[in-house]
Amino acid sequence: MKRVSQLTALALLCGLASMSSLAAEMPHSLTLEQIQQQHGAVIDTRASAFYNGWPQTLTGTSGHEPAALNLSASWLGAMSDEQLARWAKQHQLTPETAIALYGSEADNKAIQARLEKAGYRRVSLLSDALQTASRLQRLPHFEQLVYPQWLHQLQQKKPVVAAPTGDWKVLEAGWGAPKYYLLSHIPGAGYIDTNEVESEPLWNKVSDDKLKAMLAKHGVRHDTTVILYGRDVYAAARVAQIMLYAGVKDVRILDGGWKTWSDAGLPVERGTPADVKSAPDFGAPVPGQPQLMVDMEQARGMLHRQDASLVSIRSWPEFTGVTSGYSYIKPKGEIAGARWGHAGSDATHMEDFHNPDGTMRSADDIAAMWKTWNIQPEQHVAFYCGTGWRASEAFMYARAMGWKNVSVYDGGWYEWSSHPQNPVSTGERGPESSR
């Protein structure tokens, strides 16, 4: 055998390195059928809005590939290696799993590099992605979760998908005085104080007459499209859910709230809200959808049923009675027989429902989380929390997911715990406790 010179060996090594680099930059492709045959995973690297169903162009396809996971390249800066590892474990990905990516070239490369750094070597591209419209999946009501660029185009009077059919307005929702709103807000947005829709002592919704007056004050009729956002998503969701109850037909929220608008670098303005011309008539009875709220007796009647779920959107420490979650709510525990619908680390967080950028987590993930506690889409499902904010966010997500019979138990733990005769549970327990 001839001896290879050092220069020749070096050239061979450089060539192999170059080929390896090229392979990393341009991975081989697989079709959806091929990746399914390998029991692999498909990952959509686009923003969650496009994964959920918003088309990227006016005439583009809508939705994501069957069973695709969403790992947006835009999240990478907010995901530590540990968080990425948890995400992969949750979705049963191992270093041996075949993975096919689709999205823009830049996004695919960013995700591929991060996955390979984490030890995933079988990463390729999905060659037939988004080419067969009939097989794509989407949120049944993706339009109820708008994204910043869509709203900006609407404001610019450009044609958009799922445009409002009539008058529309943007409102920022927050508790108390508009201190953050005054510093910076979405151009043209009004401001609504959550105290206008709920009141003490239990922070339940205000009377129907007060709701009607509130809607008139903000110039909202039953046929006005209202787009709500908040510094906290659940503040906007609280107002949105109550407006739907009142009878406003088309209420949407900015997915991810103010942060997504700010992160997108879109225009902002400061100062007080512009004068609003009040609406002389709502144009329909109030409430228009009374079934969207249940009272304490109705909530009690939903316990221990297979065709209904009373769902706690509270943190695990609240659910198990370690804390009440609120300084002004003294009793600890949970409604006996309620099912745990997850929430977040404490009473002010909803991480279990959020992507790293604060947008809604995938519908498949949320449905799987709920299914563990026998919370099913065909049931009558009523969400509650301490006073209604987190429950309203879960309600808005379930509605976007197409769940048809969802409502909010407005009184929540605050009202329930104020009646000593109501059954209460504490301690660690599982789904069997709600049968």
Side-chain angles (χ1 to χ4, degrees), residues 210-405:
K210 287 185 177 179
L211 282 184
K212 192 171 183 178
M214 177 275 296
L215 292 165
K217 170 189 168 185
H218 290 281
V220 175
R221 286 174 42 88
H222 74 285
D223 53 1
T224 306
T225 294
V226 180
I227 302 163
L228 286 151
Y229 75 95
R231 310 288 156 158
D232 296 305
V233 175
Y234 49 41
R238 175 64 163 163
V239 176
Q241 201 273 339
I242 290 175
M243 282 190 174
L244 287 165
Y245 159 87
V248 182
K249 292 181 180 178
D250 186 7
V251 184
R252 314 186 193 192
I253 60 174
L254 176 60
D255 196 12
W258 164 255
K259 183 177 183 298
T260 60
W261 184 274
S262 180
D263 288 348
L266 292 170
V268 299
E269 65 182 18
R270 62 185 301 158
T272 57
D275 291 335
V276 178
K277 183 180 179 182
S278 63
D281 180 43
F282 184 64
V286 176
Q289 298 194 81
Q291 75 279 7
L292 299 187
M293 290 282 191
V294 301
D295 61 23
M296 187 167 65
E297 292 308 311
Q298 290 170 314
R300 185 181 288 110
M302 296 177 68
L303 295 170
H304 304 293
R305 285 170 50 184
Q306 291 305 304
D307 63 343
S309 280
L310 184 62
V311 180
S312 171
I313 305 297
R314 302 175 73 205
S315 66
W316 186 248
E318 290 172 274
F319 187 77
T320 55
V322 174
T323 176
S324 76
Y326 302 81
S327 60
Y328 53 86
I329 301 178
K330 300 307 177 186
K332 300 175 184 179
E334 194 58 274
I335 297 174
R339 295 176 176 136
W340 188 48
H342 286 255
S345 52
D346 57 32
T348 62
H349 289 87
M350 286 281 283
E351 302 102 323
D352 295 349
F353 289 89
H354 292 164
N355 293 319
D357 62 352
T359 55
M360 174 188 159
R361 193 173 163 190
S362 79
D364 287 346
D365 281 358
I366 292 174
M369 186 169 69
W370 284 342
K371 186 177 180 180
T372 301
W373 278 78
N374 191 32
I375 304 163
Q376 306 278 359
E378 65 274 9
Q379 297 171 338
H380 175 201
V381 177
F383 301 103
Y384 73 93
C385 53
T387 62
W389 287 35
R390 289 174 290 173
S392 295
E393 186 173 342
F395 167 92
M396 293 300 289
Y397 293 155
R399 189 168 173 267
M401 290 162 62
W403 288 38
K404 299 187 184 304
N405 194 5

Side-chain angles (χ1 to χ4, degrees), residues 171-181 190-198 203 218 228-240 258 389:
L171 291 170
E172 177 174 327
W175 180 74
K179 53 184 179 179
Y180 296 112
Y181 170 95
Y191 182 81
I192 183 168
D193 180 354
T194 56
N195 288 313
E196 297 178 61
V197 300
E198 61 179 11
W203 296 111
H218 290 281
L228 286 151
Y229 75 95
R231 310 288 156 158
D232 296 305
V233 175
Y234 49 41
R238 175 64 163 163
V239 176
W258 164 255
W389 287 35

Side-chain angles (χ1 to χ4, degrees), residues 12-346:
L12 285 169
L13 287 171
C14 288
L16 289 171
S18 176
M19 289 173 62
S20 175
S21 174
L22 185 63
E25 290 180 7
M26 299 182 64
H28 68 283
S29 299
L30 294 172
T31 65
L32 180 64
E33 183 179 4
Q34 288 171 331
I35 196 75
Q36 288 173 337
Q37 288 173 348
Q38 297 183 39
H39 303 290
V42 174
I43 294 180
D44 188 326
T45 66
R46 302 174 300 164
S48 59
F50 305 130
Y51 174 87
N52 286 341
W54 287 98
Q56 292 179 264
T57 64
L58 279 173
T59 57
T61 54
S62 171
H64 58 265
E65 293 292 344
L69 306 175
N70 189 203
L71 180 60
S72 174
S74 65
W75 304 343
L76 293 180
M79 292 184 80
S80 66
D81 291 345
E82 291 74 20
Q83 287 172 313
L84 181 62
R86 283 198 299 272
W87 180 90
K89 182 179 181 181
Q90 178 187 27
H91 294 100
Q92 300 178 323
L93 302 184
T94 70
E96 290 72 41
T97 303
I99 297 171
L101 311 176
Y102 70 91
S104 73
E105 182 179 1
D107 288 349
N108 289 340
K109 285 184 176 180
I111 293 293
Q112 182 204 359
R114 189 68 181 272
L115 287 174
E116 290 187 344
K117 179 187 174 187
Y120 296 87
R121 297 297 178 185
R122 298 182 63 191
V123 183
S124 62
L125 293 178
L126 190 66
S127 61
D128 58 346
L130 307 178
Q131 294 176 16
T132 307
S134 61
R135 77 184 185 195
L136 300 183
Q137 301 173 345
R138 63 192 64 81
L139 282 182
H141 296 293
F142 65 84
E143 76 284 351
Q144 293 171 10
L145 300 172
V146 308
Y147 65 102
Q149 292 78 7
W150 177 89
L151 179 53
H152 181 58
Q153 290 174 335
L154 180 67
Q155 291 179 319
Q156 299 295 306
K157 296 182 169 55
K158 295 180 180 179
V160 293
V161 173
T165 56
D167 292 338
W168 58 271
K169 59 178 56 214
V170 182
L171 291 170
E172 177 174 327
W175 180 74
K179 53 184 179 179
Y180 296 112
Y181 170 95
L182 293 174
L183 295 174
S184 188
H185 57 262
I186 294 176
Y191 182 81
I192 183 168
D193 180 354
T194 56
N195 288 313
E196 297 178 61
V197 300
E198 61 179 11
S199 63
E200 295 183 281
L202 296 174
W203 296 111
N204 286 357
K205 69 171 183 63
V206 297
S207 70
D208 294 341
D209 286 342
K210 287 185 177 179
L211 282 184
K212 192 171 183 178
M214 177 275 296
L215 292 165
K217 170 189 168 185
H218 290 281
V220 175
R221 286 174 42 88
H222 74 285
D223 53 1
T224 306
T225 294
V226 180
I227 302 163
L228 286 151
Y229 75 95
R231 310 288 156 158
D232 296 305
V233 175
Y234 49 41
R238 175 64 163 163
V239 176
Q241 201 273 339
I242 290 175
M243 282 190 174
L244 287 165
Y245 159 87
V248 182
K249 292 181 180 178
D250 186 7
V251 184
R252 314 186 193 192
I253 60 174
L254 176 60
D255 196 12
W258 164 255
K259 183 177 183 298
T260 60
W261 184 274
S262 180
D263 288 348
L266 292 170
V268 299
E269 65 182 18
R270 62 185 301 158
T272 57
D275 291 335
V276 178
K277 183 180 179 182
S278 63
D281 180 43
F282 184 64
V286 176
Q289 298 194 81
Q291 75 279 7
L292 299 187
M293 290 282 191
V294 301
D295 61 23
M296 187 167 65
E297 292 308 311
Q298 290 170 314
R300 185 181 288 110
M302 296 177 68
L303 295 170
H304 304 293
R305 285 170 50 184
Q306 291 305 304
D307 63 343
S309 280
L310 184 62
V311 180
S312 171
I313 305 297
R314 302 175 73 205
S315 66
W316 186 248
E318 290 172 274
F319 187 77
T320 55
V322 174
T323 176
S324 76
Y326 302 81
S327 60
Y328 53 86
I329 301 178
K330 300 307 177 186
K332 300 175 184 179
E334 194 58 274
I335 297 174
R339 295 176 176 136
W340 188 48
H342 286 255
S345 52
D346 57 32

